[in-house]
Amino acid sequence: MPAKTLLIPTADGRADAFAAFPDSDERHPGVLLYPDAFGVRPVVEEMARELAGHGYYVLVPNIFYRHGAAPVIELPEHISAETRPAVFAQVMPLIKAHTSERALRDAEAYLGFLTGRPEVSAGPVAAVGYCMGGALAMRTAAAYPGQVAAVAAFHPSPLVTDEPDSPHQGFPEVSAQVHLGLAEGDMTPESLSELNRALDAAVVSHTCEVYPDTTHGFTMSDTDAFSPSGLRRHWDRLLPLLDRALTGR
């Protein structure tokens, strides 16, 4: 599967990004894939290649590019329960610095770059995200409803908060088809109820599931949270969503 590293011009500099796409001369629907808080790394690149194998051009930006090229921090080969606190101690300042204002400026640049690629077909794209990338995907879909036809978030960071810019406040602007794949314990029953009320009120086509026997981060095979069954369920939900929204299949 062809892949390359690209540089995306943004309002604040240039974001490095990983791109994977089918090995053909045809144009393909675009997918903007936001990684989790651990960033662009081999497991995420492999997921992008897997998705590209199903006929999509997949762009994975380094969301922390303001702090350097990926990998922004040094990661162990496997993020275990023992190493996770030390890794998060490095990641948390980057997360806190990535404000919603920065995220939306970047989203505009990412979408413009993705839709301008010669390998990407005309028409809307999808936004897919993991962990904090799930919230970024939802923010992107809300801010750019004319460009995002499908959005999926897996074990997302909080989508319902008390902050005025809580991601769920933007749901009324979303026109994309939505799938949320939550881990057990990702949300309290009260927050989950509020999330579903917000989705219902937005009158968008959506599914919201708690994946059984999973913990936060279940799609990532380089962490202790990995769940093979959770990853399979993720593909079983994601691929049909993209087919419906982007190819009409």
Side-chain angles (χ1 to χ4, degrees):
M1 195 63 57
K4 61 176 66 173
T5 299
L6 302 168
L7 291 175
I8 304 172
T10 77
D12 298 326
R14 293 194 300 174
D16 52 304
F18 175 84
F21 43 92
D23 189 11
S24 75
D25 294 329
E26 299 176 3
R27 300 172 75 188
H28 304 277
V31 176
L32 174 59
L33 192 157
Y34 287 107
D36 62 5
F38 298 138
V40 184
R41 59 195 193 282
V43 66
V44 176
E45 293 174 356
E46 184 55 38
M47 293 173 77
R49 289 189 176 94
E50 173 75 17
L51 192 50
H54 291 273
Y56 298 98
Y57 183 103
V58 186
L59 182 68
V60 188
N62 168 22
I63 57 180
F64 298 137
Y65 70 89
R66 293 174 180 84
H67 305 274
V72 177
I73 65 170
E74 186 175 346
L75 293 171
E77 186 173 334
H78 183 84
I79 303 168
S80 66
E82 291 74 25
T83 59
R84 188 180 181 92
V87 172
F88 254 100
Q90 299 177 73
V91 170
M92 283 307 299
L94 308 182
I95 295 173
K96 291 178 179 179
H98 199 66
T99 62
S100 57
E101 291 80 9
R102 282 185 170 185
L104 292 180
R105 287 202 304 273
D106 289 347
E108 181 179 17
Y110 299 157
L111 289 173
F113 186 85
L114 176 62
T115 56
R117 298 297 301 169
E119 304 94 338
V120 175
S121 55
V125 302
V128 178
Y130 304 85
C131 184
M132 71 172 292
L136 295 176
M138 291 302 302
R139 290 189 189 279
T140 300
Y144 301 98
Q147 292 180 266
V148 181
V151 58
F154 299 96
H155 46 85
S157 58
L159 298 175
V160 176
T161 73
D162 294 330
E163 298 299 320
D165 65 347
S166 173
H168 82 290
Q169 299 290 357
F171 287 2
E173 306 304 319
V174 174
S175 61
Q177 298 181 46
V178 178
H179 176 72
L180 303 179
L182 309 176
E184 293 182 350
D186 266 352
M187 303 186 73
T188 65
E190 295 77 16
S191 293
L192 184 56
S193 294
E194 179 63 26
L195 178 69
N196 282 311
R197 282 195 295 269
L199 287 169
D200 290 340
V203 196
V204 295
S205 173
H206 67 274
T207 53
C208 180
E209 296 181 60
V210 176
Y211 288 18
D213 302 317
T214 58
T215 58
H216 186 76
F218 61 81
T219 61
M220 298 297 162
S221 62
D222 62 350
T223 75
D224 279 357
F226 179 58
S227 164
S229 63
L231 180 62
R232 286 194 299 271
R233 192 182 187 96
H234 143 279
W235 289 120
D236 288 345
R237 299 298 187 266
L238 178 58
L239 294 174
L241 170 70
L242 299 183
D243 283 349
R244 290 193 305 271
L246 300 186
T247 71
R249 292 200 291 262

